[in-house]
Amino acid sequence: MSFWRSDYWALGQTLSSGRLGADMPSPDLSAMRLASLNHALQEELGLVGDLKEMNTVSEWVLDASQPMAMAYAGHQYGHFTMLGDGRALLLGEWQNDLGICYDVHLKGSGPTPFARGGDGLATLRAMLREFMISEALHGLGVPTTRSLMVLETPFKVWRDVDQRGGLLFRTAPHHGRIGTLEYAIRALSPENYARYTMAILDRTTRCWSGTSSIDQEQGLYTLGNSDPDGVRSFFEEWSKRQAELVAHWMRVGFVHGVLNTDNISLLGITMDLGPCAFVNSYDLNRSFSSIDSHGRYAWGRQSEIMEWNAGVLLSCLLPLLDGDQKETRAMMIAKELFQQYRDFSKQALECMQWMKLGLDPQRFQSNKEAHSLVSNWQAWLVQARPDYYLAYLNLEDKIQQAMQLDSEAHLVDGLELESAWTISQDDLPSKAWVAQWINFLKKAGEDACQDALSLMQSQNPNLIPRNHLVENVLDQMVLYNNDADWDELMAAMREPYQRGGLNRRLNQPPPLSDAGYCTFCGT
Ligand code: AMP
Ligand code: MG
């Protein structure tokens, strides 16, 4: 097994005066030390050897003969900017024994031609944080870039004070972003842009269908020809995936924090985990990023802002949407696709809300009472701002209690439930709502309560990486070189839906919720 690099990444350098990447040497790893390793991902990649040994890591990295800083642009807070990997390198593409392809990317590897005055470095703390959050998202079933390992570098990194330096190895099926196309459309001739884009879209659809393997004997990807139907179906699939991704973020309380188009993957996965965080209470206006003072990327605005980003992606695809390159026809198609994105997005969010309450959207779609149960619950969440996770876990307890209490399957009333309620009522809506919800399920059929319970247990995590837990673990790791809490939280986050045990103990909100908690980009 070895690294290679597909034609399309190198294309920009050879075909245009614009530069779509810059070859860079690999960083010297000899004086680094392994800070954290993802054994499961190491195995998945088929990487043999002890990665604690820097010689082993060096050998692997040096096998990548042409590491490259990738160029991309992006709309940041609504404004167009030329960017590129200022502190990251694509080592190359790696294929495991099963033929699955991974881009292996370094973050914090030193300044590149796209560094724009930045130091190209990253702190150990920020890279460990990205490692933890990406793996937590993965455990929660949210598509994301993954983290293989973090090395501690011998360099001090200046961020108001000197901090320990870190280097993250992250993987993804590929690292193409909306911003990659925004750059290419400006850097390449129309013909080369079309070929380049078709090649990336082809790679993306292969990744989606699980057929990304490359016959290295044959060499690299052939660059695609224009194919308007292919572009349309790419966008449709991206729309579904992206809409579902945002619904996942809402489901698990994740605030990405910096939804600029340079951070939006063409694959529909979470990427660039900088100022992200998790809400505690149900506050749709919550944003954590120090620079998001107007809440553009607040938790509850993620869906709306992703529509905006979908519009930017469509604007890049516009020249490829109509075979005859008729602008008015392409515009019509783009409008339809945009509307379709909005429909997917609305649908994905609604389904998520229903499933969190144990209601199968397909089964109860035409039931008025189910609609009113969901909308009343959502209204209660907005008004009462309970702890988002405990609210659902408490409901789960209620349905379990009702099932035990009521083996004869008669309907319950508020009083009966009251005597069975032993936990705090703060994170529950009115007893009338709870009784209505339970009775609705009881009336729906013999197994409806059990089905609802199982659905809820698959949708509502019993543990998320609460901000205070993450910060505490990072303090332990970086300030005190103690990795016991890190190991405990990482292990728990691999099975966040498991009921009982450690999860419920860890999953307590901090006394003051997350008042004053603030995150930063580019650390
Ligand atoms: P991010 O907020 O991580 O998405 O970064 C936005 C842009 O700034 C990207 O082009 C990054 O590569 C670049 N960048 C962030 N931090 C640094 C740094 N310390 N040195 C150089 N470039 C950076
Ligand atoms: Mg970024």
Side-chain angles (χ1 to χ4, degrees):
M1 288 191 289
S2 61
F3 280 111
W4 73 94
R5 195 168 86 185
S6 297
D7 279 358
Y8 62 85
W9 295 130
L11 178 72
Q13 288 154 296
T14 51
L15 287 188
S16 84
S17 52
R19 191 171 52 178
L20 290 186
D23 284 328
M24 300 285 301
S26 296
D28 175 11
L29 305 182
S30 55
M32 298 194 188
R33 137 192 115 78
L34 183 68
S36 191
L37 173 65
N38 184 342
H39 293 281
L41 187 55
Q42 179 185 357
E43 207 167 295
E44 190 181 315
L45 292 173
L47 269 177
V48 283
D50 182 358
L51 298 184
K52 275 196 213 74
E53 292 298 327
M54 282 308 113
N55 284 343
T56 313
V57 184
S58 276
E59 261 172 46
W60 183 52
V61 167
L62 289 174
D63 179 47
S65 55
Q66 286 177 293
M68 185 183 75
M70 301 163 77
Y72 51 81
H75 276 80
Q76 297 195 306
Y77 292 87
H79 302 286
F80 180 78
T81 324
M82 289 294 191
L83 295 159
D85 286 335
R87 55 169 175 170
L89 286 182
L90 174 68
L91 283 182
E93 289 155 84
W94 178 260
Q95 187 167 301
N96 73 4
D97 290 334
L98 299 173
I100 300 170
C101 285
Y102 302 80
D103 264 17
V104 182
H105 219 235
L106 303 182
K107 186 164 175 182
S109 48
T112 75
F114 307 111
R116 297 173 299 147
D119 60 9
L121 303 175
T123 64
L124 178 63
R125 187 180 183 107
M127 296 304 97
L128 286 172
R129 190 171 188 278
E130 172 155 350
F131 183 118
M132 165 156 288
I133 305 277
S134 61
E135 289 312 301
L137 285 176
H138 177 72
L140 286 161
V142 183
T144 178
T145 59
R146 304 283 310 276
S147 296
L148 172 65
M149 62 183 154
V150 174
L151 304 184
E152 177 167 14
T153 73
F155 314 114
K156 287 278 169 271
V157 179
W158 178 255
R159 300 285 183 265
D160 294 328
V161 288
D162 266 342
Q163 295 206 31
R164 294 163 77 173
L167 176 65
L168 172 72
F169 285 62
R170 68 177 175 186
T171 69
H174 72 61
H175 283 79
R177 311 141 189 267
I178 294 180
T180 310
L181 299 186
E182 290 182 83
Y183 190 102
I185 201 169
R186 289 161 175 88
L188 299 177
S189 68
E191 299 74 40
N192 286 336
Y193 173 69
R195 295 175 64 208
Y196 178 82
T197 302
M198 291 315 299
I200 298 187
L201 300 193
D202 179 46
R203 169 65 185 269
T204 306
T205 44
R206 280 167 190 249
C207 291
W208 284 335
S209 62
T211 54
S212 66
S213 70
I214 297 168
D215 182 349
Q216 289 182 60
E217 293 297 313
Q218 270 181 13
L220 307 172
Y221 283 99
T222 33
L223 297 164
N225 291 318
S226 261
D227 166 17
D229 288 342
V231 176
R232 282 197 290 265
S233 45
F234 158 79
F235 186 80
E236 281 178 9
E237 184 62 24
W238 178 83
S239 298
K240 282 186 199 142
R241 286 169 184 264
Q242 192 63 51
E244 275 166 20
L245 181 68
V246 176
H248 274 303
W249 292 347
M250 297 309 293
R251 178 174 68 80
V252 302
F254 176 74
V255 191
H256 181 286
V258 59
L259 291 175
N260 296 325
T261 54
D262 49 298
N263 293 336
I264 309 301
S265 158
L266 292 173
L267 287 159
I269 62 175
T270 316
M271 82 183 298
D272 272 18
L273 300 152
C276 58
F278 286 78
V279 296
N280 283 308
S281 57
Y282 192 92
D283 179 359
L284 293 169
N285 294 322
R286 191 67 169 99
S287 65
F288 294 97
S289 169
S290 62
I291 54 173
D292 191 17
S293 43
H294 297 292
R296 181 181 167 91
Y297 300 136
W299 184 46
R301 292 202 69 200
Q302 298 186 118
S303 172
E304 192 187 326
I305 205 70
M306 203 55 80
E307 282 178 14
W308 195 93
N309 290 337
V312 176
L313 175 55
L314 270 175
S315 74
C316 292
L317 299 179
L318 201 58
L320 310 174
L321 282 176
D322 178 53
D324 300 327
Q325 300 194 344
K326 294 238 167 57
E327 206 177 308
T328 43
R329 220 182 103 66
M331 277 300 285
M332 262 172 51
I333 299 168
K335 275 187 190 162
E336 277 166 27
L337 288 172
F338 185 65
Q339 187 51 46
Q340 196 182 43
Y341 179 83
R342 299 183 75 176
D343 295 343
F344 284 150
S345 169
K346 188 165 175 285
Q347 203 181 358
L349 286 175
E350 281 175 9
C351 279
M352 177 273 297
Q353 292 172 351
W354 282 57
M355 292 197 296
K356 279 180 81 74
L357 288 175
L359 300 169
D360 177 348
Q362 297 218 308
R363 181 170 171 194
F364 297 116
Q365 204 170 28
S366 53
N367 186 308
K368 274 194 185 149
E369 192 179 359
H371 279 271
S372 99
L373 276 168
V374 176
S375 60
N376 288 342
W377 170 265
Q378 290 302 130
W380 174 75
L381 285 178
V382 170
Q383 164 256 312
R385 296 190 187 183
D387 183 86
Y388 186 39
Y389 315 96
L390 296 188
Y392 287 92
L393 292 170
N394 287 350
L395 275 188
E396 203 180 296
D397 288 350
K398 291 292 144 278
I399 202 168
Q400 273 171 325
Q401 287 169 11
M403 282 161 74
Q404 282 166 7
L405 184 97
D406 189 44
S407 53
E408 303 294 304
H410 68 267
L411 303 185
V412 296
D413 62 35
L415 282 179
E416 249 178 310
L417 281 173
E418 193 175 20
S419 59
W421 289 0
T422 50
I423 53 170
S424 148
Q425 300 298 300
D426 293 351
D427 291 323
L428 273 176
S430 71
K431 291 184 191 98
W433 185 93
V434 179
Q436 191 195 353
W437 171 67
I438 290 175
N439 289 333
F440 174 83
L441 290 168
K442 282 178 175 284
K443 282 184 284 178
E446 213 179 309
D447 298 325
C449 284
Q450 185 53 52
D451 291 348
L453 187 60
S454 307
L455 187 56
M456 290 174 82
Q457 289 178 341
S458 71
Q459 300 298 309
N460 300 316
N462 197 21
L463 176 64
I464 52 122
R466 301 245 185 201
N467 305 321
H468 69 290
L469 286 181
V470 173
E471 295 306 326
N472 173 48
V473 161
L474 291 173
D475 280 347
Q476 289 296 324
M477 280 287 268
V478 177
L479 304 179
Y480 308 112
N481 291 319
N482 172 8
D483 54 13
D485 291 352
W486 168 273
D487 290 345
E488 180 186 66
L489 187 56
M490 287 300 296
M493 282 309 317
R494 291 196 198 289
E495 291 187 288
Y497 296 96
Q498 201 177 69
R499 268 39 196 172
L502 179 64
N503 285 5
R504 197 73 178 246
R505 176 173 73 70
L506 287 174
N507 197 12
Q508 294 305 314
L512 293 174
S513 191
D514 45 38
Y517 185 66
C518 185
T519 56
F520 302 89
C521 298
T523 37

